[in-house]
Amino acid sequence: MNLFDTIVKPTSIPEIYRTMKHEELEEKVREIKARLGKKLFIPGHHYQKDEVIQFADATGDSLKLAQYSAENKEAEAIVFCGVHFMAETADILTTNQQTVYLPDMRAGCSMADMADIYQTERAWTELTRLFGDSMIPLTYVNSTAAIKAFVGRYHGATVTSSNAEKMVKWALERHKRLLFLPDQHLGRNTAYNLGIKLEEMAVWDPMTNTLEAQVETDKIKVILWKGHCSVHENFTVENIKQVRADYPEMNIIVHPECRREVVALSDFAGSTNYIIDRIQESKPGSAWAIGTEMNLVNRIINQYPDRHIISLNPHMCPCLTMNRIDLPHLAWSLDQIEQGSSHNIIKVDAEIAKDAKLALQRMLDLA
Ligand code: 13P
Ligand code: SF4
């Protein structure tokens, strides 16, 4: 599935879920949850809409949700309120007796779509010609199960934004250089924080099959895949200058999926959980401009009315694909489960799941 599919495929839920009153849908979800009890588990990513997150049994960033999925052994149905790669991860980490559902199959991730397994294998072949066996692959969890399996087979691991530094360090203790997929910004920001110079990082362009480098190949330590998050790339240096001019006292905090120059000019940068914790620990009266997904920023604004909190980009919108999971889709999905219908099941091929689990487990063992 790619982003184009997620945009053009019509929604398949019956019209009745669209016309039902919000309160009726809420009541339906509440009742089904009560009836299914512990047989049902609903993990929800922090970027989900409020109308959905209110029903999550556990909320978290990508790392937390992967950990919860690995720990939960009693739920028969896991209804994942997040995006496709997260549901795949949950399927890989749960048992064969557990079934993972994604309430709307169009909930993909544009970043994960920027790397496919064919491009990855081709890149590895080309890069091996240049660098021999000196490389280890790391993939952000925001990638397909097939890419996680590739990384697992080549002795690498997955990373999330909350453990990226630890995982890059781990990789560089084992090999001289690493290939980091698919988010160039998280890779660059993380390597930079670990003291690797920007010129020691090259960029692999999967569209042209070329390596963009500033130095001779033997000096390259990190090869960054040319991918990005279309939400976090929308925070710019101009946004920072504007906030500094309008509110000189404001703290600027951003997610490391933002570009290097944006992170460099911010006061703080860290994963979704880091941002949440930092605001929670902040003093009443403090002022914050946040550079991350808008559903989360709006939730934080509502939770802390005694702080002055704004989005770093005043024209920001929520992540389009995260927003595909809405209350009608959640209610429909739960109804289908109660009726015993197989729908929107996320099942990763067993061979792929076996190798992808190696990559995930290496991360979970260290996290
Ligand atoms: P984290 O949950 O790791 O902060 O990642 C953010 C994100 O973009 C998820 O899609
Ligand atoms: Fe993908 Fe970015 Fe949306 Fe996360 S916020 S799901 S990385 S597009």
Side-chain angles (χ1 to χ4, degrees):
M1 185 186 56
N2 59 37
L3 183 65
F4 186 65
D5 290 335
T6 72
I7 294 168
V8 298
K9 271 193 187 157
T11 179
S12 56
I13 63 170
E15 192 52 28
I16 178 139
Y17 291 91
R18 294 263 164 237
T19 49
M20 238 185 245
K21 285 205 192 91
H22 190 88
E23 298 72 35
E24 280 178 78
L25 289 166
E26 287 187 325
E27 194 49 30
K28 182 181 264 307
V29 173
R30 235 176 261 122
E31 283 172 10
I32 298 178
K33 278 191 67 153
R35 282 197 294 272
L36 292 181
K38 295 238 184 290
K39 284 190 197 159
L40 171 71
F41 179 57
I42 305 183
H45 190 274
H46 289 306
Y47 295 173
Q48 289 285 292
K49 294 170 172 218
D50 283 345
E51 66 185 36
V52 168
I53 210 84
Q54 63 172 326
F55 293 113
D57 297 308
T59 57
D61 64 357
S62 308
L63 178 62
K64 274 260 169 291
L65 295 182
Q67 287 167 330
Y68 290 139
S69 305
E71 282 159 18
N72 188 308
K73 302 281 177 252
E74 55 185 343
E76 290 165 20
I78 296 170
V79 177
F80 210 103
C81 294
V83 290
H84 193 269
F85 72 81
M86 296 178 182
E88 277 191 334
T89 298
D91 176 55
I92 294 164
L93 294 174
T94 48
T95 66
N96 286 338
Q97 285 66 49
Q98 298 175 292
T99 308
V100 177
Y101 302 85
L102 187 63
D104 188 339
M105 292 301 244
R106 301 171 305 166
C109 163
S110 57
M111 178 201 285
D113 288 342
M114 289 179 196
D116 69 33
I117 186 60
Y118 307 106
Q119 293 171 323
T120 305
E121 281 167 351
R122 197 168 53 203
W124 192 255
T125 306
E126 290 294 324
L127 291 168
T128 303
R129 261 189 220 127
L130 285 176
F131 298 112
D133 60 3
S134 64
M135 290 180 301
I136 184 167
L138 283 186
T139 186
Y140 195 16
V141 287
N142 303 28
S143 54
T144 63
I147 290 179
K148 292 186 180 80
F150 172 91
V151 167
R153 279 196 294 280
Y154 284 93
H155 313 289
T158 57
V159 317
T160 75
S161 57
S162 34
N163 59 23
E165 279 192 25
K166 201 186 280 180
M167 297 312 298
V168 167
K169 234 194 255 170
W170 172 89
L172 290 175
E173 278 159 17
R174 277 156 184 78
H175 280 73
K176 195 169 166 196
R177 47 181 64 90
L178 68 92
L179 169 63
F180 191 99
L181 299 118
D183 183 12
Q184 59 169 311
H185 301 307
L186 178 65
R188 188 177 290 112
N189 287 319
T190 307
Y192 184 86
N193 287 347
L194 290 171
I196 297 171
K197 298 192 189 95
L198 290 175
E199 56 271 24
E200 292 171 325
M201 303 180 211
V203 175
W204 175 261
D205 185 337
M207 304 313 277
T208 57
N209 284 316
T210 48
L211 188 67
E212 299 164 2
Q214 298 171 40
V215 290
E216 309 86 88
T217 42
D218 65 316
K219 298 215 173 76
I220 295 169
K221 291 194 180 145
V222 174
I223 301 135
L224 304 165
W225 191 269
K226 199 170 195 169
H228 63 266
C229 165
S230 29
V231 173
H232 289 92
E233 263 216 349
N234 288 329
F235 297 103
T236 62
V237 167
E238 274 316 304
N239 293 147
I240 298 209
K241 286 185 184 157
Q242 196 62 54
V243 167
R244 298 276 188 227
D246 293 346
Y247 310 102
E249 80 296 350
M250 204 162 242
N251 297 290
I252 299 181
I253 185 165
V254 300
H255 194 282
E257 285 175 19
C258 295
R259 299 162 203 264
R260 174 74 218 133
E261 51 278 26
V262 170
V263 170
L265 290 173
S266 302
D267 300 305
F268 307 96
S271 68
T272 303
N273 263 13
Y274 171 87
I275 293 172
I276 292 171
D277 291 348
R278 196 88 214 190
I279 304 289
Q280 192 186 9
E281 290 156 8
S282 69
K283 291 202 175 74
S286 57
W288 296 86
I290 307 180
T292 194
E293 200 276 339
M294 211 50 217
N295 282 329
L296 175 61
V297 174
N298 281 334
R299 189 170 307 123
I300 294 176
I301 291 173
N302 291 334
Q303 274 170 349
Y304 299 98
D306 56 357
R307 277 83 153 161
H308 179 200
I309 302 173
I310 59 170
S311 169
L312 176 58
N313 177 344
H315 307 296
M316 202 59 197
C317 358
C319 170
L320 172 81
T321 48
M322 281 275 179
N323 259 20
R324 293 286 186 196
I325 312 293
D326 55 13
L327 188 55
H329 279 86
L330 178 60
W332 169 77
S333 187
L334 295 182
D335 256 347
Q336 294 294 299
I337 289 170
E338 269 213 315
Q339 289 161 22
S341 127
S342 318
H343 72 288
N344 291 15
I345 292 177
I346 303 295
K347 188 77 208 144
V348 177
D349 168 83
E351 273 305 300
I352 292 178
K354 179 166 74 61
D355 290 341
K357 196 167 180 178
L358 293 175
L360 283 161
Q361 200 57 54
R362 286 181 192 125
M363 172 186 81
L364 292 173
D365 289 346
L366 276 179

